[in-house]
Amino acid sequence: MRRSSARDTAARALLSALPLLVLACAGTAPTRALDGPEPRAPRALAWRYTVRADAALTRLDVVACFDAAAPEVLVPGLSGAAVPLEPRGWDARGPFPLSVGEGGVLRLPAAGRDACVAYHLDVGQVLASGDRDTAFRVGRDLVLAPDVLLWRPRRVPGDVAAQATFELPAGLAVSAPWPRVAERGDTYSLDASAFAWRGQLALGRFSPETLALAPDSTCEVVLLDAPTRTSAAGRARWLEAAAGAVASVVGAFPREHLQVVIAPTPGGGDDPVAFGYVLRGGGAAVTLLLDGGADDADLADDWVAVHELFHLAMPPIARRDAWLSEGVTMYFTELLRVRAGFITAREGFAALHDGFLRGRAAGTGRTLAAESSDMHETRAYRRVYWAGAAIALEADLAMRRRVGRDLASVLAELRACCARSGRFWSADEVVARLDALAGAAVFSEAATRWLAVAAFPDLGDAYRALGLDPTSGEPDSDPDHAALRDALMTSEPSDR
Ligand SMILES: [Zn+2]
């Protein structure tokens, strides 16, 4: 502990020169755009974390230091998810008393400037909640929300600059969605979104692998500690094909850096990937629950990876508006599988048809708007996803017919302006933006028609235009219909 304290002090002395430089540059800094990539300007370090673990990952030790005036309280991002054990605090004058309050809040009324606190967490206690959003183990490896680990002031400034350094025993590695601080291997830079949005850390005996996903995009992939029949080369081909397909639809891969966590799960499911999700806290992360029985060839049947990666091409969309985020994503999921070479165009249309049939058969009789806002209670996922996908298909065809645009090219523009937005968008906002980008109120017309009614969207006109049999989904042989089907599955983003 003494060695690291000395290092902290030396680092602080070195960094104390920085605030003046930052102030000197502030007047000439470009105005930040409301949406889109946010430039990371060099800033004074405000909060610094050092995380250590034992070899078995049963105990995590944290030292957290806060530059300048001390916060009165430090809170965990997830209230009550973990108890900070044996907390201690000190500043330049020496130790100060602190106490633990409700929900694990640390109170430090006597702390002076540049205060540090130290505490540790019992991983078994954190896992005891059984909440996978908080923490879970895969074999000996551990995945946990940074919210459980990093106590911080109650208010997180929008321009907060924080760093986290991991000092782990030999053989243990860390994977985080945060950007690395270049000169130090396991030191990461955390912005406000790392505290405001969910993220996840993986700690374990894995070897993170870096893949070039698309031009200007890399991802760090970790395979957690459970059996899989897939090979590293097979997984790399699968992820590169999925990311390449997303980039081909929306013009570029939406992120320069991505964390991919692959968690093999006990085999036996219908799909090679049982489940996946995207997190955006501090950077982009995708977690994929890979069926342990799946091999490299089975990965060609996967739809989850392209689906999750595609979510990153749109701004974060409010949970109640899943019909839009999941509908557009579901529609493109099948197109992406064709683009990635996983399935043929004919199989892509068959998959869309099958999805529409299942969506039509599901649901609770609510309007689509209500079905969408209540989805997590009623579990009417299929209805919401596929009704949204039907609206996306209708909008795509209407754009082509009426304004000579297509949904992929419009989404490419949405990706460029807004995919990295730091706030949730409502469906109304996204739909208005899609209309504006398309130059006609095409998406809003399709959405308005079906959101307020309980009936599944009628795809009769769409099927006629595409030459698909309404019952079997089989394509006809009319060359005009075939040309439209080809355009839907293969079109590149247009120039506009
Ligand atoms: Zn989804």
Side-chain angles (χ1 to χ4, degrees), residues 276 303 307-308 311 325-326 329-330 333 385:
W303 61 270
H307 179 100
E308 300 307 331
H311 271 302
S325 54
E326 296 298 348
T329 302
M330 208 67 236
T333 295
Y385 281 43

Side-chain angles (χ1 to χ4, degrees), residues 399 410 430-445:
M399 273 180 204
V410 171
V430 176
V431 167
R433 185 67 72 102
L434 292 174
D435 279 358
L437 292 170
V442 177
F443 206 105
S444 58
E445 280 178 23

Side-chain angles (χ1 to χ4, degrees), residues 421-494:
S421 174
R423 64 178 179 85
F424 281 102
W425 289 46
S426 70
D428 285 350
E429 282 178 288
V430 176
V431 167
R433 185 67 72 102
L434 292 174
D435 279 358
L437 292 170
V442 177
F443 206 105
S444 58
E445 280 178 23
T448 309
R449 190 173 312 135
W450 299 112
L451 275 170
V453 298
F456 192 84
D458 178 2
L459 288 168
D461 287 347
Y463 271 47
R464 266 187 294 283
L466 289 163
L468 300 176
D469 183 273
T471 308
S472 68
E474 283 293 309
D476 67 16
S477 54
D478 182 310
D480 288 344
H481 297 161
L484 183 57
R485 291 196 300 270
D486 280 352
L488 220 65
M489 286 294 176
T490 59
S491 68
E492 298 293 326
S494 65

Side-chain angles (χ1 to χ4, degrees), residues 1-13 48-52 61-65 88 90 116-119 165-167 184:
M1 184 55 68
R2 185 178 300 162
R3 260 188 65 214
S4 76
S5 296
R7 198 180 311 153
D8 287 346
T9 308
R12 192 177 306 150
R48 275 165 292 113
Y49 297 91
T50 304
V51 180
R52 300 183 182 87
D61 280 84
V62 180
V63 176
C65 295
R88 296 176 293 115
W90 66 92
C116 293
V117 298
Y119 51 88
T165 300
F166 291 80
E167 296 179 356
R184 293 178 62 189

Side-chain angles (χ1 to χ4, degrees), residues 11 52 74 100-101 106 110-111 151 187 198 204-205 216 236 252 283 291 294 315 408 411 429 438 453 465 481-482 486:
R52 300 183 182 87
L74 295 172
V100 182
L106 284 174
W151 264 249
T187 295
R198 273 183 61 205
R205 297 187 177 277
D216 305 323
D291 189 305
L411 282 169
E429 282 178 288
V453 298
H481 297 161
D486 280 352

Side-chain angles (χ1 to χ4, degrees), residues 248-249 335 339 396 400 406 408-409 486-494:
S248 83
V249 166
L335 276 60
R339 293 278 184 103
D396 195 359
R400 290 162 192 269
D406 61 86
S409 72
D486 280 352
L488 220 65
M489 286 294 176
T490 59
S491 68
E492 298 293 326
S494 65

